[in-house]
Structure formats: structure tokens, C-alpha cells
């Protein structure tokens, strides 16, 4: 079927209205009318080909919530009229060791991203949530707890799961000392989720006027990372640091703030680190520097259910589809408090 979308034809072009094709539902598919779609910094990286490999036209968007409009004959998970959500992946091989262990995001044969992935049905590449509808195999569709506001729940599908997965993998719980670097979409969800799990949470931010917000979001303390004196006060403190910074930056000052056996997990920047990473504090403190990408489907549902129980959603600013280019510019200036969410009804106008 032919549907309306918003996307870009080139790395240096603005996003604009376009038409794309979606498949008709097959036996295990769910068709979702998209009501809201969050705006992730990865959307911007992909639209502008920051990582290389973007296939054009590119239609970003992987924080999707909406209503089920059609189901295939074998679908059991949801019915027409239910709320539904789709995150960053829409397929994987489902046979490899990772897939068998609910780690579809690490599929050894390559997971299929919601956008810029290989479309196994129509050929070409996948198109994301800046669009009217999406058709996804039920395995990759999530249920949204009924008490959560749909627009504010959308960012849980990427910002939420990307920070939840390392919190769970490194077994954060009551009494854990967790730090978060960068107060943006991922960072503000990391604070809320770590707090929800019972951790003591510190925010590292470059932006002094985000201090009050950090505390209001649940951080126990805020360290302005450009102030060496403040950095010294947390030397050797943290069990886990979640680093959400999207661009190259020096992680050595943060490694110094890890406790013995502590881990700094990079979820933001993809690429070579500069300046070099000094191994001395890592060796002398058995510290780790790690990475993590989104989360599996079962883990995403676990996170959504946890958010339902604890009433956790994102702090959002609702925008119209037509405002997306301006929203990207604001995101580059760290001027998002703390996630843009597109009201997809605006696409129809
Ligand atoms: P965002 O909303 O733009 O937030 C990023 C925050 O990082 C900013 O608010 C800012 O916080 C800080 N920051 C920005 N530029 C910086 C710089 N040059 N140096 C130091 N700090 C800087 O972005 P997001 O949507 O949270 O995404 C963050 C990154 O995670 C992106 O690169 C995105 O592609 C990536 N991502 C990864 C995964 C994964 O699975 N691993 C999933 C989703 C997104 P302060 O003002 O507080 O310093
Ligand atoms: Zn994302």
C-alpha cells in the first residue's frame, strides 16, 4: 500500500513529505496506525549520514506508538483497536544463538532496523515511524500499559530500552551507585529508570542550567563535567556509568570516577575515541569500558511493564511533523527538554 511519510533524499537535504510503500499484512503481521513517534538523535545521525551507510530516501523514526488497524490470520498478541508500539527493530533471523536467548538486537545474522534495514518483504530498505502506518510481525510489536500516556510513552521504545538494558545487564538495584553522562533523551530516561530500580543516581552534564532539571528528574546529585573541582568529588564512586554523549569526547575523566570493578558503558558515540583511553586506571582498578545497543523484545516489554507499574514516562515536547527540521537543529544545540515527540495527525494535513 502507498502511504504518506516524511523523509529525506540526501544527507544535506531537509526532511519533506514523500510517499512510501508498506506491505499488506501477512498471517503474522500487525498493521498499526501511528499516533506518535519520538525523535531520537539516531534519527538525525541517519538522516545526515553521520555513520555512513544511510540508504535514501531515508524515513527515520523508531519510537512508535499507535493503534492496531488490521491483523493477520495467525496473530494472537493484539487485536484491532488495541494500543501497540514498535521500537528500533522489526525483524531478526530468530534462529541464531542471540535470537534464541531473546537478544534479537545482537542477531548474529543481522537484526533488521525499523529504518535503514534490509526489507525482506518488499526488497530495498525499511522505512521508520515518520509515516502514517507501519506493518510489523507480531513478535516485534510491544504492548503499552494502559495507564501510560501514549505520547509520553513513545520515547520508552528507544531511549527507555537503551538505558534499561545496561541497568539490568549490570544488575543495578537498591544501593547501586549509577552515573549518567548527558541530559538528553537517553540521559533523562536513564535517571528515571535507575532511580526506579532503587539506585543512587548522579548526573554529569556540561550544561549548568540543567542542574535543577536533573534533580527534579530524580538525580541525587549533579556534577558539571567541565568543572575539575566538582569532578574530583566523585573520584572512585560509581558502579555503573551510562555514557549517552553522541559525539567524540574524552572518557578518561569519567573512568576515574568508577569504583573498583565498575563499568562505563557507552551507548551514544559510535567510532574511535579521542584522546586515547588510558588503561592504567582500568588495570589497577579492574574497571571496564563497554558498549550496549538497544534491547531485546522480551526485555523491552519488561521495561514497558516496569514503567507501567512505576508510572514512568518521558518528559516530552510535542511537535508537528512539519517542525522536524527545526527540531533537529535544536537537538544539535542540546535544546531538548527532554524528547521531541511528533503528533502524527499533523502528517495528514
Ligand atoms: P540527545 O537528546 O541529543 O542527548 C545527548 C546529550 O549529550 C545532550 O543533551 C548533552 O547533554 C550531551 N552532549 C551533546 N553533545 C555533546 C558533546 N559534544 N559533548 C558532550 N556532551 C554532549 O541525544 P539522545 O537521543 O539521547 O541520543 C544520544 C546518543 O545515543 C546518540 O548518539 C544516539 O544516536 C545514541 N543512541 C544509541 C542507542 C543504542 O542502542 N546504543 C540507542 C539510541 C540512541 P548535556 O547538555 O547534559 O551535556
Ligand atoms: Zn533511538
Amino acid at each position: 500500500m502507498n502511504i504518506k511519510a516524511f523523509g529525506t533524499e540526501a544527507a544535506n537535504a531537509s526532511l519533506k513529505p514523500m510517499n512510501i510503500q508498506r506491505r499488506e499484512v501477512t498471517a503474522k503481521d500487525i498493521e498499526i496506525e501511528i499516533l506518535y513517534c519520538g525523535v531520537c538523535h539516531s534519527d538525525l545521525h541517519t538522516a545526515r549520514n553521520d555513520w555512513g551507510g544511510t540508504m535514501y530516501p531515508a524515513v527515520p523514526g523508531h519510537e512508535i506508538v499507535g493503534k492496531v488497524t488490521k491483523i493477520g490470520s495467525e496473530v494472537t498478541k493484539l487485536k484491532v483497536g488495541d494500543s501497540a508500539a514498535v521500537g528500533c527493530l522489526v525483524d531478526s533471523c530468530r534462529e541464531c544463538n542471540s535470537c534464541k536467548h531473546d537478544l534479537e538486537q545482537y542477531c548474529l545474522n543481522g537484526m533488521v532496523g525499523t529504518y535503514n534495514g534490509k526489507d525482506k518483504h518488499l526488497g530495498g530498505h525499511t522505512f521508520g515511524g515518520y509515516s502514517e502506518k507501519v506493518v510489523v510481525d507480531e513478535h516485534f510489536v510491544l504492548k503499552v500499559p494502559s495507564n501510560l500516556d501514549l505520547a509520553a510513552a513513545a520515547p520508552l521504545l528507544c531511549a527507555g530500552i537503551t538505558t534499561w538494558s545496561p541497568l539490568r545487564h549490570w544488575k543495578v538495584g537498591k544501593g547501586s551507585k549509577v552515573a549518567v553522562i548527558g541530559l538528553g533523551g537517553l540521559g533523562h530516561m536513564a535517571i528515571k529508570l535507575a532511580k526506579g530500580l532503587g539506585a543512587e543516581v548522579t548526573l554529569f552534564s556540561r550544561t549548568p542550567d540543567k542542574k535543577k532539571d536533573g534533580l527534579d528528574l530524580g538525580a541525587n546529585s549533579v556534577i558539571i563535567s567541565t568543572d575539575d573541582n566538582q569532578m574530583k568529588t566523585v573520584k572512585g564512586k560509581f558502579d555503573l556509568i551510562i555514557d549517552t554523549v553522541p559525539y567524540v569526547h574524552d572518557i578518561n575523566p569519567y573512568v576515574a570516577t568508577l569504583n573498583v570493578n565498575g563499568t562505563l558503558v557507552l551507548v551514544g558515540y559510535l567510532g574511535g575515541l579521542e584522546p586515547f583511553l588510558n588503561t592504567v586506571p582500568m588495570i589497577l582498578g579492574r574497571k571496564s569500558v563497554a558498549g550496549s545497543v538497544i534491547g531485546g523484545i522480551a526485555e523491552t516489554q519488561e521495561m514497558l511493564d516496569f514503567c507501567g507499574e512505576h508510572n514512568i514516562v518521558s518528559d516530552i515536547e510535542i511537535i508537528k511533523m512539519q517542525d522536524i527540521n527545526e527540531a533537529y537543529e535544536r537537538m544539535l544545540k542540546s535544546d531538548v527538554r527532554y524528547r521531541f515527540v511528533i503528533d502524527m495527525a499533523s502528517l495528514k494535513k
Side-chain angles (χ1 to χ4, degrees):
M1 72 188 112
N2 192 283
I3 62 158
K4 285 184 185 169
F6 224 82
T8 177
E9 304 276 3
N12 58 1
S14 298
L15 277 77
K16 58 169 195 189
M18 55 176 60
N19 278 58
I20 56 166
Q21 294 296 321
R22 294 282 189 211
R23 68 177 183 266
E24 297 296 334
V25 291
T26 64
K28 291 212 153 50
D29 282 337
I30 297 182
E31 181 190 279
I32 299 163
E33 180 197 352
I34 302 174
L35 298 177
Y36 298 101
C37 185
V39 179
C40 178
H41 209 110
S42 302
D43 299 355
L44 186 161
H45 288 310
T46 301
R48 299 189 177 180
N49 200 22
D50 288 349
W51 297 324
T54 299
M55 293 174 270
Y56 294 96
V59 175
H62 58 200
E63 294 183 337
I64 298 168
V65 293
K67 287 252 179 284
V68 176
T69 44
K70 210 180 271 180
I71 57 171
S73 56
E74 292 172 25
V75 168
T76 56
K77 203 182 233 180
L78 289 167
K79 54 183 193 321
V80 172
D82 286 347
S83 299
V86 177
C88 305
L89 57 159
V90 289
D91 209 349
S92 68
C93 83
R94 300 190 233 174
E95 287 170 358
C96 72
N97 198 44
S98 295
C99 287
K100 279 189 184 144
H101 289 89
D102 290 327
L103 295 168
E104 299 92 341
Q105 76 275 33
Y106 302 115
C107 175
L108 300 175
N109 296 306
M111 59 115 153
V112 180
T114 302
Y115 55 78
N116 207 47
K118 194 171 173 226
D119 189 329
K120 294 179 193 168
H121 298 260
L122 295 180
H125 59 278
T126 53
F127 297 115
Y130 299 0
S131 57
E132 283 178 285
K133 287 177 183 180
V134 67
V135 178
V136 179
D137 183 293
E138 68 168 337
H139 179 77
F140 294 87
V141 177
L142 288 309
K143 296 181 190 178
V144 189
S146 57
N147 58 316
L148 298 183
D149 177 77
L150 278 186
L156 300 177
L157 277 301
C158 176
I161 184 57
T162 300
T163 51
W164 176 258
S165 188
L167 290 168
R168 297 289 284 154
H169 180 75
W170 277 279
K171 301 190 167 40
V172 164
K174 207 166 165 33
S176 303
K177 292 189 168 60
V178 173
V180 176
I181 312 177
L183 190 58
L186 269 56
H188 93 292
M189 286 314 309
I191 293 175
K192 292 186 186 209
L193 294 170
K195 192 79 188 167
L197 286 166
E200 181 189 321
V201 187
T202 298
L203 167 70
F204 288 112
S205 176
R206 304 164 304 169
T207 312
D209 69 6
K210 288 185 185 171
K211 180 168 182 170
K212 184 178 178 302
D213 288 359
L215 297 172
D216 289 348
L217 287 161
N220 299 82
S221 58
V222 178
I223 300 287
I224 301 306
S225 52
T226 48
D227 180 334
D228 290 344
N229 288 328
Q230 289 192 38
M231 290 297 282
K232 279 187 197 136
T233 63
V234 285
K235 197 164 178 279
K237 177 166 178 175
F238 302 111
D239 304 310
L240 182 70
I241 301 176
I242 301 183
D243 182 341
T244 77
V245 174
Y247 299 99
V248 68
H249 58 291
D250 184 4
I251 67 167
N252 291 292
Y254 299 107
V255 172
T257 71
L258 286 173
N259 194 358
V260 173
N261 291 328
T263 299
L264 181 149
V265 57
L266 292 151
V267 296
Y269 173 66
L270 279 176
L273 285 170
E274 289 168 31
F276 64 86
L277 176 60
N278 185 358
T279 64
V280 175
M282 293 170 64
I283 290 172
L284 296 185
R286 198 158 65 184
K287 299 177 183 183
S288 308
V289 172
S292 181
V293 75
I294 51 174
I297 295 301
E299 195 175 43
T300 305
Q301 192 62 58
E302 174 196 71
M303 176 274 311
L304 286 167
D305 295 344
F306 179 88
C307 288
E309 279 159 34
H310 292 78
N311 261 308
I312 295 174
V313 286
S314 182
D315 287 23
I316 61 166
E317 178 179 336
I318 294 192
I319 61 167
K320 294 196 201 81
M321 189 68 258
Q322 295 75 8
D323 298 334
I324 190 69
N325 294 301
E326 191 194 330
Y328 280 5
E329 291 309 314
R330 284 183 54 194
M331 190 148 67
L332 283 172
K333 292 187 211 134
S334 299
D335 176 24
V336 191
R337 311 244 163 152
Y338 280 91
R339 199 58 143 186
F340 294 123
V341 171
I342 307 160
D343 177 357
M344 293 311 304
S346 59
L347 183 62
K348 299 197 177 102
K349 286 177 189 145

